[in-house]
Structure formats: C-alpha cells, structure tokens
Amino acid sequence: MKKHPLYGLIAEFESPEALLEAAHGARAGGYRRLDAFTPMPIEGLAEAVGFEKTRLPLAVLIGGICGCIGGFLLQYYPSVMDYPLNIGGKPFNSWPAFVPVTFEMTILAAALTTVFGMLAMNGLPTPYHPVFNVPEFELASRNRFFLCIKARDPQFDLEKTKQFLKDLKAREVYEVES
Amino acid sequence: MNFESTLPPLPEGSVRLLRALAAVGGLIILAGVLFAPERIWPSLLLVTYFLVCTALAGAFFVALQYVAGAGWSVALRRVPETLAMLLPAAGAALILVLLARPSLYPWAVHDSAYVALQGFKALWLNRPFFLARAAVYLALWIGLALAIVRTSRRQDSDGAIEHTLRNEKLSAVFIVVFALTFWPAAFDWIMSLEPHWSSTIFGVYNFAGMFLSGLATIIVLTVWLERLGPLHGVLNDNHLHDLGRLLFAFSTFWAYIWFSQYMLIWYANFPEETVYYTRRLHGAWQPLFLLNFFLNWVVPFFILLMRASKRSATTLMRVAVFVLVGRWLDLYLMIVPPHAGDWPPFGVWEVGPAVAAVALGLLASFHYLRQAPIIPVRDPLLAESLAQSDTPKPSRVSAGSSKDFFQAGVG
C-alpha cells in the first residue's frame, strides 16, 4: 500500500466532555479509524473511539494453562521418570506436594503473558509517532484533549473531514504529517 | 427516582410461604430435640454457626468498605448492614445450642472411653470458661457491629461527615477485634468437636468460608432487591462486576486455605492429625469431600473467569447459590463426621434446621431492611457509588448523548 503523506487530522478540545461528545459524533458520522489522547483517563472514551475487545484475555488464559502444565511437569519428570527418590515412603508422583509450585508457575506465566502481551498488542514502546509532528500536541499531557481521525479511514477526505471536525466544535484542527 | 422510600412490604404470598417454612422447620427442630437428639444438635450447631458467620460477614464487609474509604459499594451498603443486624438473634441461638447440649463436645462430658486432654488444651477447654468466652466474643462483635450500623443510619437524617469519620474508626477497631476473636471462636465452637485434633490454620479456613458465603448472601439479596424494585436503577453492571470479582477472589482464597490445611497434614503424616482426613476421605464421605471443593471453588472459578458472567445478575446469583450450598456442605464436613458413623447422615433432621434458618433469616432481613431508607441517602460517597456508570456500548450511543450520560450518574 502506498504510504499516505498524511497520518491524519487531529482536533483539539478543551474539556473531556467535549472530546467524548466529539468521539461519539465521529463514530456516528461513520468514521472508524479514530484515536484519542488525553492527560488523564476518561471513562467511556475507549469505547467511544471504537475500542471493544482485545485478544489479551485469551493469551493470558493460554499462558496460565502452559504455566500450569509446565510447572507440574517440571516436578513430575524428575521425581517420577528421571531420578525417582523415595522420600518418607511417599509415592513418586506425590501430586499434592507439587500443587504449590504448579500454582505459582500458573500465576507467573499468566502475569508475564499479561505484561508482554499487552506491550506487544498495543505496540509499545513506540519511539516515533506522527502525532508529535504537531507542536501543539504536547498539550495532550497538560490540559487539552485530542481526537485523531487517521488518513487510513475509508471515509477520510482532507477537506470534508476537516470541516466535520470543526463542526464537532473542535477548538483547532491540525494536519498530522506521517 | 425517590431514594427516600423504604422497602415496600413483601408480597403477602411470600411472607406466608416463609412463615410456613419457618414453622415447619421449627416443628422439625422440636421433634428432633425430643426424638433424635444425636442428629438434631450437630445440625443446629451448623445452622446457628452459619447464621452467626453470615451476620459477621455483613459487619466485616461494611467495616472493610469504611476502612478502605470505598465509594463503589455505598449504594448497596444497606444489604450487609442488614446482615450485621442479624447478629444478636443468631448469636443468641448459637449460645442456646452451646448451653443446651454440652455433649456435642467430647471434652465436656467425661465418659470412660474419653482420653483426657493434656496441657494447655485441658486448661482452655472447660465449660464455664468456654461459655464465658463465647459470650465475650459475641458481645464484642454485637456491640461494635450495631454501633457501626446505628451511626450509618443516623447519617440518613443529617448527612454529617462526622458519622463517616466515626464509622471509619469503629470499623478499624472492629476489624482488629474480629481478627483476634474469630480465630479462637472457630477453635472453640468447631475445632474442639474433635479436641485431640488441631490445625493452626483452622481459623483462617473458617474466615475464608465465612467471608465467601457472606459475599454470596450479599449478592443474592442485592440482586433480589433489584428484581423486587427497591434497588432497580441503582444496581448496575459495574457494581455486579465488583461483587463478582470479590466472590471470585475469595473463592480462590478459600480453595488456597482449604488445600493448605490438607497438604500440610498429608505431608507431615502424623497420625493425630491425619485422623481428621482419614474419617472424611473414606467410604461414602469421600464424594462429599470432593463435592465441597467443586461447589466452593471449581464452579465459581470457571464460571466467573469470564467477564460477562461477573456482569450478569442471573449468572452471578446462580453461582452465589452454589457457593451457599457449598458453605453448608463445608460446615457439615467440619461438624457432623465426629458425631456420625461410616454413612453421612442426611434427612429431615439436617434439612429442617436449614429450612428454618433460611426462612427466619429472610423474614428478619426484610424486617430490618424496612427500618431505614434502602440506600444510605445522605452518605457523602453515595454520588460516587451511583456514578459507577454503565459503560455505553458504541452501537447504542448516538451523537450528543454523552452529556446525558455524564449527568445521569449523579442524579
């Protein structure tokens, strides 16, 4: 795919309410490739820009199951197959004794999958992001709220989208170079 | 919405049904005391201890929310408060059982087959001290729990912040007192049924079960009140989600402690400790032992693992009912085996007291729920609890609705 010279359009808002309203407006207007940038978390914003489900919970479940099986085998293999020792007359496969390690390995694998899966799926760390080409964007970590409509959006049209964002009561609309 | 309103009276039919059940249960208990004392008394100890634990769990839940400064649960607080108000009656019933049937505890009757206790246990376990301790535990719990409830209700009229601050202090005291007294109470009332056996984790094990079933009771009552009307429009998916997460977490905590007790005894393999599990793991008791784990952990864990089931009132309530049955079974396995033979006794003498306890518990809860507004109307954190907004689904949201959505919460 040919790279679009523009990353998209970014609109600046003064309050979380205005941003949330604009995000709903953009969704209702048919735009799908949206992103929002705010200085603090805003309830309902993620859903408003079309963020629904991730596959992270599934990855965590699979990670947990692998940790569970792996943790058990890590004890089962040496105690039963590789180097069986008679300890206190207990059976080689003393599974109750294996439970704590199995449990901890389940938690460890699930937690590591959560952290690294999250990083992999949201694309962090991102050393370069086009939105920083707009000098005003640094206000996103202070007191301004930004809504971005990306050029990849099938409905994107520079002039029409710019007007659309202005109609959503944006304080200012900037073009973002990619 | 008029939050000032108290609960409307229960439908005539439900009241009559509950009264009839309580009466039938009462008659069964009476008949049991006369004709089957060796079956009815363990059963009565079970249900009265269950009721005391449920009431304590309500008080503990309220105290926990105050100490943590939690806002999310304020709108639902009347439910655990109501449970806490059951404490005096439940405590009196338990004391009555302890008074009326000394022979529940082998250390209290000295027949020829009994091997006398040695050392500390011999000093600790004697009738007068045992009863005095029970009275002290219950008096401390009742005093603090009712003080918290009274302060919360006083806030309904003036909305002063002082009540919240006072309850934060009372709650901190209650939690410390509760932690130090529930442990020996479980030792006294339940563990000393088999006085030669001991397990230092028994107090935590009982706490885990107590809070797990308390949460299940809170969920059942809350969802029921929502269905009935008074909490309609107050309870939303986020409240359910939080309650569901607590149920999920404490179910796993219970399983962790349940297994820890088993594993340490299995591993050390001392005859005086393994006797407890030998009795419960053989013959017809074994399926019950495994069913206990299934009801209290397998069912809640695998169902509540999914986000959607924690946010569904129906699913959550069904899981809570499983947990409550599981709690009954858990206590049954703690209390009944030393009084029974190879076959787990189950029949009218076990069902009757349970039915009476459920019916009386519900009637009393409704009585207490009607004494105050159904939500703490002037609690400073109420707005935060009500503003636990429903996450709007993108498809339902149209342009401009976000403003309503923001304002609706704090109505």
Side-chain angles (χ1 to χ4, degrees):
Chain A
M1 204 175 92
K2 204 178 121 257
K3 207 171 179 193
H4 202 286
L6 267 188
Y7 174 74
L9 285 168
I10 196 162
E12 180 185 335
F13 297 89
E14 287 187 334
S15 71
E17 289 82 0
L19 173 64
L20 199 59
E21 198 168 324
H24 287 310
R27 289 282 296 180
Y31 290 99
R32 290 294 171 269
R33 303 280 183 175
L34 303 174
D35 210 344
F37 307 89
T38 61
M40 77 276 200
I42 296 171
E43 179 138 13
L45 184 62
E47 288 76 11
V49 293
F51 174 89
E52 284 175 47
K53 275 193 172 169
T54 75
R55 281 168 304 160
L56 190 58
L58 182 65
V60 174
L61 180 67
I62 294 171
I65 291 171
C66 290
C68 180
I69 296 171
F72 189 82
L73 290 182
L74 208 61
Q75 300 164 89
Y76 182 87
Y77 172 73
S79 331
V80 179
M81 293 154 78
D82 190 38
Y83 205 87
L85 278 178
N86 183 335
I87 300 168
K90 293 230 170 1
F92 292 134
N93 178 24
S94 286
W95 66 267
F98 299 166
V99 168
V101 173
T102 308
F103 171 76
E104 300 298 347
M105 287 293 285
T106 310
I107 306 291
L108 180 67
L112 289 176
T113 317
T114 313
V115 174
F116 291 105
M118 178 270 289
L119 290 178
M121 286 180 191
N122 67 12
L124 282 175
T126 304
Y128 172 79
H129 197 288
V131 288
F132 289 99
N133 291 333
V134 178
E136 288 79 2
F137 184 74
E138 69 178 61
L139 291 173
S141 60
R142 288 199 215 155
N143 58 353
R144 290 292 146 78
F145 304 83
F146 290 89
L147 180 69
C148 180
I149 297 184
K150 295 173 194 169
R152 281 185 294 140
D153 195 295
Q155 223 181 286
F156 187 84
D157 177 285
L158 187 55
E159 290 314 314
K160 276 191 206 155
T161 305
K162 198 181 267 182
Q163 194 53 45
F164 179 81
L165 280 170
K166 281 189 179 142
D167 293 344
L168 289 173
K169 295 177 213 135
R171 190 174 180 274
E172 202 73 60
V173 178
Y174 310 99
E175 292 178 15
V176 185
E177 289 170 30
S178 66
Chain B
M1 215 177 307
N2 181 17
F3 290 141
E4 301 277 344
S5 64
T6 48
L7 185 64
L10 265 184
E12 192 74 6
S14 313
V15 176
R16 224 175 293 147
L17 179 69
L18 287 175
R19 284 201 183 134
L21 286 175
V24 171
L27 285 176
I28 292 174
I29 292 171
L30 206 62
V33 170
L34 294 173
F35 304 115
E38 70 293 342
R39 287 275 297 276
I40 203 77
W41 286 107
S43 193
L44 283 172
L45 176 66
L46 194 168
V47 297
T48 49
Y49 182 67
F50 195 137
L51 281 176
V52 166
C53 283
T54 307
L56 264 180
F60 180 67
F61 184 90
V62 174
L64 209 55
Q65 306 302 312
Y66 271 115
V67 168
W72 68 274
S73 58
V74 167
L76 320 172
R77 197 175 65 219
R78 285 289 129 93
V79 176
E81 271 179 20
T82 300
L83 293 181
M85 290 175 84
L86 300 177
L87 201 47
L94 177 65
I95 291 275
L96 207 62
V97 173
L98 299 181
L99 271 175
R101 186 74 175 174
S103 60
L104 270 176
Y105 299 93
W107 51 263
V109 282
H110 298 285
D111 57 23
S112 51
Y114 181 69
V115 182
L117 293 164
Q118 302 292 322
F120 179 75
K121 275 187 186 174
L123 290 174
W124 185 255
L125 292 175
N126 65 76
R127 274 297 279 171
F129 190 28
F130 173 81
L131 291 171
R133 280 197 309 269
V136 170
Y137 304 145
L138 283 164
L140 283 169
W141 299 339
I142 291 171
L144 285 163
L146 292 191
I148 293 173
V149 173
R150 262 200 308 274
T151 312
S152 157
R153 300 197 168 183
R154 229 171 268 148
Q155 198 169 39
D156 288 342
S157 52
D158 60 10
I161 186 82
E162 283 72 33
H163 298 306
T164 302
L165 299 177
R166 182 179 143 81
N167 259 356
E168 281 172 6
K169 285 187 199 118
L170 280 172
S171 297
V173 175
F174 173 78
I175 288 177
V176 173
V177 168
F178 166 74
L180 293 176
T181 49
F182 185 68
W183 195 297
F187 280 13
D188 277 5
W189 299 337
I190 309 297
M191 200 166 85
S192 82
L193 289 165
E194 285 157 283
H196 292 284
W197 179 77
S198 56
S199 159
T200 47
I201 207 174
F202 201 75
V204 192
Y205 173 42
N206 269 260
F207 163 74
M210 176 216 82
F211 199 52
L212 175 62
S213 72
L215 285 167
T217 313
I218 292 171
I219 287 171
V220 170
L221 282 178
T222 310
V223 173
W224 195 31
L225 285 175
E226 197 265 344
R227 298 271 154 91
L228 220 56
L231 285 181
H232 189 76
V234 173
L235 183 75
N236 65 41
D237 289 359
N238 290 325
H239 295 130
L240 287 173
H241 198 169
D242 287 338
L243 288 170
R245 276 190 282 220
L246 277 172
L247 192 71
F248 178 81
F250 274 90
S251 168
T252 302
F253 179 66
W254 175 88
Y256 187 97
I257 303 297
W258 178 86
F259 182 76
S260 297
Q261 176 172 293
Y262 172 78
M263 193 193 69
L264 291 181
I265 289 174
W266 170 85
Y267 208 98
N269 209 10
F270 294 133
E272 65 268 34
E273 288 180 352
T274 50
V275 63
Y276 182 87
Y277 285 108
T278 311
R279 194 175 274 146
R280 287 159 177 82
L281 268 172
H282 289 95
W285 291 96
Q286 192 184 37
L288 293 179
F289 187 82
L290 297 173
L291 181 66
N292 184 20
F293 182 65
F294 187 80
L295 288 173
N296 276 302
W297 185 73
V298 177
V299 169
F301 182 83
F302 285 98
I303 293 181
L304 295 181
L305 201 54
M306 270 97 61
R307 183 174 188 262
S309 37
K310 278 176 285 212
R311 298 176 76 88
S312 148
T314 313
T315 313
L316 200 53
M317 186 150 91
R318 283 189 190 145
V319 172
V321 170
F322 268 98
V323 166
L324 287 173
V325 176
R327 172 66 175 160
W328 183 89
L329 182 61
D330 194 22
L331 287 174
Y332 178 86
L333 285 172
M334 283 185 226
I335 293 169
V336 177
H339 297 277
D342 292 338
W343 197 255
F346 185 77
V348 70
W349 309 123
E350 281 71 33
V351 176
V355 168
V358 171
L360 286 172
L362 284 175
L363 282 171
S365 299
F366 263 83
H367 174 71
Y368 290 131
L369 272 173
R370 296 198 61 204
Q371 289 181 350
I374 199 70
I375 60 175
V377 274
R378 292 206 173 72
D379 191 293
L381 289 172
L382 180 63
E384 187 184 329
S385 179
L386 293 174
Q388 281 256 327
S389 51
D390 269 320
T391 313
K393 301 249 169 15
S395 55
R396 272 198 288 134
V397 177
S398 57
S401 72
S402 56
K403 205 160 211 165
D404 311 333
F405 149 67
F406 257 97
Q407 285 165 352
V410 250

